[in-house]
Structure formats: C-alpha cells, structure tokens
Amino acid sequence: MTKEEKKEAIKQRARKNFSLGWNCAECVVEAVLSVMETGLPPEAKKMATGFGGGGGLYGDTCGALTGAIIAVGAVHGRSKLPEDPDPKAAAKKGNQQLYGKPGLYRLFNQIPNKFFEKYGHTLCRDLTSKWHDQWLCRDHALYCREVITEAAGIAAELALMDTTEAASKPFGKNVENLKD
C-alpha cells in the first residue's frame, strides 16, 4: 500500500469507527494502530477512551485532536531516554530530542496548529458550541465525524513521514514562542 493509500485508509477507518460507536479520540487512535506498524497491541487504543468529548466530556482539547497526538506518538514517540553515564549529559540529550532540530516537539506541534488552521479552535466546547443544548443530534454527529476524519488525516500524514523530516519542520504557535 502506498503512503497515500495508507493515509486514505486511516481516514476512512476513523470515519467508520465513529459510526460503530467509538468516541472521537478512539476513532483516530484505532485507525492509525490498525494501518501502521507501531509495535503496540490493538488494546493500546484504550488509552484514548477518556479523551472523548474534550477529556471525559469536559470540553477541553478536542478528542479527535488528542487522538491524533496519541496516534502520532505511537509511531514517533520516545520509548526510552538517551543513555549517558553523566546524568546531566543524559538530561541534556533528552531535552535535545524534544527541543532540537530535529526535535519531537516540532513534529507534535504541527498537529494542533494544522487543526486550528482548519477549524479556528482546538477546544471541543468551542468546536461544538452550537450543539450544547442538543448534544447528540444528527448535525452534531455529522460535524464530529468530519472533524475525526480530518484529525485522522493529519495524524496519518505525520505518522507516515520520516521522523527526522517531520521533526525538522519549523515550530508553529507554541507556549514558549519558539521559532527557528
């Protein structure tokens, strides 16, 4: 399967997952874990359950967005810290893995920035504000299905990239105001 076919397979699987009853975060994580080789068991999708509805329906960061971050982490995330006999040197190397160029924060920072560019919001409560009085209505479900599909596409795009390439992109908006 080509990268483009994998990306489309992830998007369509996430979309279908919503119809099957998975929540927004689970839809994206399950789709990526099913199509990509991550070394994680399918049960790892359980980690995403609590992120639905912006974290247990609290309305914070959209579950589909959080699911995308989890899914990309399953592919590109750290499984161990750098080793060095000097603890300070090891910590510095670990910090470099996150903040450097390449640096994993550069990779993960793309996810909310792409999402915000598309929707103008990253919080579930803002994305779904017009349905707060009719949460489970058809229009709300159809909208969330589209958001899930888009988040799965963002996750797939980054998951399918080479880690070094993806982690060498410039920072977007971030809390530390980091720039290249």
Side-chain angles (χ1 to χ4, degrees):
M1 197 181 305
T2 68
K3 283 185 178 185
E4 202 50 46
E5 289 169 331
K6 283 184 181 181
K7 180 179 175 181
E8 190 58 30
I10 289 168
K11 287 173 62 176
Q12 292 311 314
R13 187 170 182 114
R15 184 179 187 87
K16 181 172 173 128
N17 283 344
F18 191 63
S19 301
L20 297 174
W22 295 105
N23 76 28
C24 43
E26 293 167 329
C27 287
V28 178
V29 172
E30 192 284 334
V32 171
L33 290 179
S34 294
V35 175
M36 301 286 301
E37 180 51 52
T38 65
L40 295 173
E43 294 80 23
K45 70 180 162 280
K46 295 189 313 184
M47 294 183 295
T49 301
F51 291 100
L57 288 179
Y58 188 72
D60 274 348
T61 303
C62 170
L65 171 56
T66 307
I69 294 167
I70 294 168
V72 173
V75 176
H76 295 299
R78 301 191 293 183
S79 57
K80 64 181 182 174
L81 293 173
E83 294 181 21
D84 195 293
D86 175 17
K88 287 184 179 182
K92 187 174 182 177
K93 287 178 184 176
N95 197 39
Q96 184 66 22
Q97 280 182 318
L98 296 174
Y99 288 94
K101 188 171 184 181
L104 292 171
Y105 281 157
R106 292 170 180 275
L107 186 159
F108 289 102
N109 178 258
Q110 294 173 62
I111 302 168
N113 276 286
K114 288 178 185 226
F115 192 92
F116 184 85
E117 186 178 302
K118 173 83 176 175
Y119 295 105
H121 299 284
T122 59
L123 297 180
C124 175
R125 73 176 64 89
D126 295 335
L127 290 161
T128 61
S129 63
K130 68 184 196 178
W131 297 290
H132 288 183
D133 292 336
Q134 16 174 307
W135 188 254
L136 296 176
C137 74
R138 177 176 165 74
D139 287 343
H140 172 226
L142 292 173
Y143 177 76
C144 286
R145 186 179 68 181
E146 291 310 313
V147 170
I148 288 164
T149 305
E150 183 69 24
I154 292 168
E157 181 182 320
L158 290 168
L160 290 162
M161 286 180 83
D162 172 72
T163 304
T164 302
E165 177 188 354
S168 295
K169 303 260 185 209
F171 278 107
K173 180 180 173 184
N174 65 84
V175 295
E176 292 193 41
N177 294 314
L178 298 172
K179 308 213 184 308
D180 284 338

